[in-house]
C-alpha cells in the first residue's frame, strides 16, 4: 500500500508544505520514519501506536515506512503526528485516498488519541488558503478559536478533538467542528492612566509624540523620577491594532507559544519588558529550532528596556539590525528563519552608577571616570537610533502632594494621537499610490519619501540646516529629526513642517546625555 498525506512545517514564521508518504510492505514489523530527527521519529512512532491501540485500531503487521519530504527541512515531529497516523490507519478506498491527498492535517497526538494544539495554526490556515493542491485543513479543535472570523474562501477548515473523529471524517464523512464565525468580543484593556503621572510635562509631551509617530524614546533620570511609570502608559496611547496588524501579531505569538497566546494577541498591542539578564537568543530569537524572541513578540507594539546599561553590550548591539530592517534573520547550518520585528523601542537609563548625577542635590558620589564608563556602555550607533531623548527630573513636592491636580487623562491624549496617525496614514496612502511609500506611521517613512512627506517652510529649512552644521547631525540623525518634526506638525494639524516643529524635534533629539559625556 502506498498513500500520501499533506501537512505543514515552519521555517521561522513561514509555513512550508510537507508531503507525507506512507508505504506498507513486507519486512520487519514496525513504523520507520525518515525525514525527521531520530529522537522525533521514535517519539512519533510510539505516540501513533499508543493512539491506535486506544481507539482499537490495528497497525498493519508489516513494515510501515513513513517519509517526510523535503528531507532537508528541519521538522518538529509532534506537529506531524496526526497526518502520519491518519495515513497509516485510515481504511483503504479511492475516496479516502483522494480526500487525504487534498487535506492538510496538523496536530500532536496524546497516548489516548486526543489531538493536542500545535504552534502556527493561523500561519498554516493563511498558507493553505492559497495552496492550489489543498482544499481542506484539519487542526486541533483547541486551536479553532485562533481562526475565528477568518475568511475561508474555497478552503474548508475543521477542528478535531481526537484521532477517532478524524478517521470517521475521512472514511464516512462524519462532521467535524468549524471555526467560530466571528472572534469573541475584545475585553476592555485596563491600561494605567496618564493622569497618574504628576508633573513631567516635557516627558508627557515626548510620550505623546512617540505614540503619534511610532518613534523610539530614551528616558534618562534619577531613580524614582517616573521613567518606568511613563513607559507603562505608552500602550494606552496607541491606537488599536488594524486587522492586518492583528493577524501579524497573532501569527508571531501563536508560533511562539501556541493558540492561546495567538488569540490573546488579537486584542491589544504587545508590551514586552524583558529583564536585563535576558540572553541574545531570548531577546532576538534563536534556539536549535528557531523561535521568536522578545523583539518579535513586541512586533507592532512596544519593547521596554529598563536599566538599559545593565543589559549586556552584545545583546544591545543585536538590536541595531532589527531597528533598521524591521525583522530578525536567524541563520543556521540548514535553514534561515525570519521573524518580523517592527516594534517601538522605549528605554530607561540612569545618568551615572548611583543615579543622582543630574539631581542637583549633591548626592552623586561617582567620579568622572566611572560616569564615562557607565554611560559609555551604550554605543553611539545604538544611541543614534533613538528619535526622542530627554532628561526626566525628579518631581517636586508641590506636584506630588495629596490633592495636587494631575495632567490630562489618557483618553484625551489618545484622541490627538489617533488624529495625527490618521493624517499620517492618509499621506502615506497618497505617497504609496505614487510608488514612494508604504509606511504605517511617520517613524517608518523611508528616505526617498521624506522630501514629499516633510515639506519644510523656509524658516524650518534654515533652522534644520543650521542645526545640522552646529551640532552636527549626520544623515541618519537629520532624517530622524525630520520624521519627528513631521509628527509634531501632524499633532498640530499642520500640512507643512514649520520652524517651531523642527525646534521641538531638535530639543528632544538632544535632551539625553551624550555618550562619554
Amino acid at each position: 500500500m502506498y498513500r500520501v498525506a499533506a501537512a505543514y512545517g515552519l521555517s521561522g514564521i513561514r509555513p512550508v508544505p510537507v508531503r507525507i508518504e506512507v508505504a506498507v510492505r513486507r519486512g520487519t514489523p514496525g513504523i520507520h520514519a525518515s525525514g525527521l530527527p531520530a529522537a522525533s521519529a521514535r517519539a512519533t512512532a510510539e505516540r501513533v501506536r499508543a493512539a491506535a491501540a486506544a481507539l482499537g485500531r490495528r497497525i498493519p503487521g508489516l513494515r510501515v515506512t513513513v517519509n517526510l519530504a523535503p528531507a532537508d527541512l528541519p521538522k518538529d515531529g509532534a506537529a506531524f503526528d496526526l497526518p502520519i497516523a491518519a495515513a497509516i490507519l485510515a481504511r483503504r478506498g479511492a475516496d479516502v485516498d483522494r480526500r487525504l491527498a487534498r487535506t492538510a492535517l496538523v496536530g500532536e497526538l496524546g497516548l489516548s488519541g486526543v489531538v493536542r494544539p500545535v504552534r502556527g495554526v493561523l500561519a498554516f490556515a493563511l498558507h493553505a488558503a492559497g495552496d492550489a493542491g489543498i482544499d481542506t485543513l484539519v487542526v486541533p479543535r483547541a486551536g479553532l478559536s485562533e481562526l475565528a472570523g477568518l475568511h475561508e474562501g474555497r478552503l474548508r477548515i475543521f477542528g478535531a478533538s481526537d484521532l477517532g473523529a478524524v478517521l470517521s471524517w475521512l472514511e464516512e464523512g462524519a462532521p467535524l467542528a468549524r471555526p467560530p464565525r466571528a472572534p469573541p468580543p475584545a475585553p476592555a484593556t485596563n491600561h494605567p492612566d496618564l493622569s497618574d503621572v504628576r508633573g513631567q510635562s516635557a516627558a508627557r509631551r515626548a510620550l505623546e509624540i512617540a505614540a503619534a509617530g511610532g518613534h523610539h524614546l530614551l528616558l534618562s533620570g534619577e531613580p524614582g523620577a517616573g521613567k518606568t511609570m511613563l513607559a507603562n502608559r505608552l500602550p494606552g496611547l496607541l491606537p488599536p491594532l488594524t486587522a492586518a496588524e492583528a493577524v501579524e501579531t497573532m501569527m508571531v505569538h501563536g508560533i511562539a507559544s501556541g493558540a492561546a497566546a495567538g488569540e490573546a494577541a488579537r486584542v491589544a498591542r504587545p508590551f514586552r519588558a524583558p529583564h536585563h539578564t535576558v540572553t541574545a537568543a531570548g531577546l532576538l530569537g534563536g534556539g536549535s529550532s528557531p523561535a521568536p524572541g522578545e523583539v518579535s513578540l513586541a512586533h507592532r507594539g512596544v519593547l521596554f528596556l529598563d536599566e538599559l546599561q545593565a543589559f549586556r553590550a552584545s545583546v544591545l548591539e543585536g538590536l541595531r539590525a532589527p531597528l533598521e530592517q524591521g525583522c530578525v534573520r536567524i541563520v543556521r547550518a540548514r535553514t534561515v528563519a525570519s521573524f518580523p520585528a517592527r516594534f517601538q523601542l522605549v528605554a530607561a537609563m540612569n545618568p551615572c552608577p548611583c543615579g543622582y548625577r543630574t539631581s542637583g542635590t549633591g548626592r552623586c558620589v561617582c567620579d568622572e571616570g566611572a560616569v564615562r564608563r557607565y554611560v559609555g556602555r551604550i554605543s553611539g550607533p545604538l544611541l543614534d537610533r533613538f528619535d526622542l531623548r530627554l532628561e526626566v527630573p525628579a518631581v517636586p513636592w508641590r506636584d506630588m502632594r495629596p490633592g495636587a491636580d494631575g495632567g490630562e487623562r489618557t483618553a484625551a491624549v489618545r484622541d490627538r494621537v489617533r488624529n495625527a496617525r490618521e493624517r499620517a496614514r492618509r499621506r502615506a496612502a497618497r505617497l504609496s499610490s505614487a510608488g514612494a511609500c508604504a509606511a504605517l506611521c511617520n517613524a517608518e517613512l523611508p528616505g526617498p519619501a521624506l522630501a514629499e512627506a516633510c515639506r519644510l517652510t523656509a524658516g524650518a529649512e534654515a533652522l534644520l540646516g543650521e542645526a545640522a552644521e552646529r551640532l552636527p547631525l549626520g544623515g541618519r540623525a537629520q532624517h530622524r529629526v525630520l520624521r519627528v518634526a513631521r509628527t509634531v506638525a501632524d499633532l498640530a494639524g499642520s500640512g507643512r513642517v514649520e520652524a517651531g516643529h523642527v525646534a521641538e524635534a531638535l530639543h528632544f533629539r538632544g535632551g539625553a546625555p551624550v555618550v562619554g559625556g
Side-chain angles (χ1 to χ4, degrees):
M1 180 191 79
Y2 174 78
R3 176 174 276 168
V4 175
Y8 291 111
L10 284 171
S11 177
I13 198 172
R14 181 173 60 91
V16 179
V18 175
R19 178 184 173 93
I20 295 177
E21 304 168 318
V22 174
V24 180
R25 56 188 174 83
R26 292 182 180 180
T28 305
I31 300 175
H32 305 272
S34 61
L36 281 171
S40 293
R42 287 193 297 270
T44 294
E46 290 302 320
R47 288 193 294 267
V48 170
R49 286 194 190 95
L55 295 175
R57 294 270 184 153
R58 179 177 174 273
I59 292 178
L62 301 170
R63 182 182 181 88
V64 180
T65 302
V66 180
N67 181 53
L68 281 74
D72 60 350
L73 173 71
K75 306 176 188 76
D76 178 5
F80 301 104
D81 290 356
L82 182 60
I84 290 173
I88 293 174
L89 297 173
R91 297 191 182 99
R92 297 186 184 182
D95 290 342
V96 174
D97 290 346
R98 191 180 306 110
R99 184 175 294 166
L100 192 60
R102 295 191 62 81
T103 299
L105 302 101
V106 290
E108 177 184 346
L109 285 180
L111 300 186
S112 64
V114 66
V115 179
R116 292 180 175 143
V118 294
R119 299 181 299 123
V121 168
L122 178 58
F124 296 148
L126 293 175
H127 188 279
D131 191 336
I134 299 298
D135 58 27
T136 306
L137 175 67
V138 177
V139 303
R141 185 166 184 170
L144 283 180
S145 58
E146 191 177 352
L147 308 181
L150 183 68
H151 179 63
E152 301 177 32
R154 64 167 190 81
L155 179 73
R156 299 183 302 163
I157 300 176
F158 297 111
S161 55
D162 58 72
L163 176 59
V166 175
L167 296 176
S168 296
W169 174 77
L170 284 170
E171 298 166 350
E172 305 163 9
L176 291 175
R178 300 299 297 272
R181 290 190 175 273
T189 51
N190 297 318
H191 296 295
D193 201 274
L194 191 59
S195 62
D196 298 335
V197 179
R198 303 300 176 89
Q200 303 296 12
S201 58
R204 291 166 59 94
R205 174 63 174 171
L207 207 64
E208 180 177 343
I209 295 171
H215 302 291
H216 306 312
L217 172 64
L218 176 63
L219 303 171
S220 176
E222 65 180 84
K227 303 184 294 294
T228 302
M229 191 176 187
L230 286 160
N232 286 333
R233 280 148 181 79
L234 178 58
L237 302 179
L238 299 176
L241 290 166
T242 66
E245 290 173 333
V247 168
E248 291 176 4
T249 58
M250 288 170 63
M251 285 176 62
V252 174
H253 285 256
I255 287 170
S257 305
E263 185 182 356
R266 184 198 304 269
V267 177
R269 292 186 180 272
F271 180 81
R272 308 291 298 189
H275 192 259
H276 61 77
T277 56
V278 68
T279 63
L283 185 67
L284 304 173
S288 56
S289 178
E294 291 290 333
V295 296
S296 295
L297 295 174
H299 180 62
R300 296 301 178 194
V302 178
L303 178 70
F304 176 48
L305 302 183
D306 200 6
E307 304 293 342
L308 189 62
Q309 293 103 325
F311 287 80
R312 278 173 281 189
S314 60
V315 173
L316 291 179
E317 291 306 302
L319 286 171
R320 288 161 57 181
L323 286 171
E324 292 296 322
Q325 301 168 8
C327 68
V328 173
R329 284 171 53 85
I330 301 171
V331 181
R332 294 290 179 265
R334 297 179 59 190
T335 186
V336 177
S338 180
F339 297 105
R342 197 166 292 283
F343 56 91
Q344 190 170 352
L345 178 61
V346 179
M349 59 183 281
N350 294 327
C352 65
C354 76
Y356 294 102
R357 181 174 178 79
T358 58
S359 67
T361 62
R363 297 171 64 185
C364 181
V365 295
C366 305
D367 60 58
E368 292 298 325
V371 173
R372 282 195 297 271
R373 288 190 298 273
Y374 185 73
V375 178
R377 293 178 186 176
I378 312 303
S379 71
L382 178 60
L383 186 68
D384 193 48
R385 283 163 170 80
F386 287 98
D387 306 314
L388 303 164
R389 317 174 202 164
L390 76 155
E391 186 74 37
V392 181
V395 182
W397 166 249
R398 65 178 178 274
D399 293 329
M400 291 293 294
R401 73 186 191 280
D405 293 334
E408 282 185 296
R409 297 187 64 84
T410 290
V413 180
R414 186 169 54 231
D415 286 343
R416 292 199 297 271
V417 168
R418 184 179 63 250
N419 292 336
R421 285 217 176 196
E422 180 59 25
R423 293 188 187 95
R425 187 198 63 77
R426 290 197 299 266
R427 180 172 54 249
R430 187 176 64 254
L431 295 176
S432 180
S433 65
C437 177
L440 293 178
C441 58
N442 288 334
E444 298 177 14
L445 279 170
L450 283 175
E452 180 63 27
C454 305
R455 293 180 176 272
L456 302 177
T457 63
E461 188 170 356
L463 178 59
L464 183 57
E466 182 181 357
E469 293 293 331
R470 293 181 59 185
L471 289 178
L473 295 175
R476 181 193 292 123
Q478 292 174 34
H479 283 179
R480 291 186 178 277
V481 169
L482 272 174
R483 293 184 182 101
V484 173
R486 177 66 268 178
T487 299
V488 175
D490 286 338
L491 284 168
S494 174
R496 295 179 66 88
V497 178
E498 300 175 1
H501 307 144
V502 172
E504 188 169 10
L506 288 168
H507 167 73
F508 283 122
R509 180 74 186 177
V514 177
V515 170

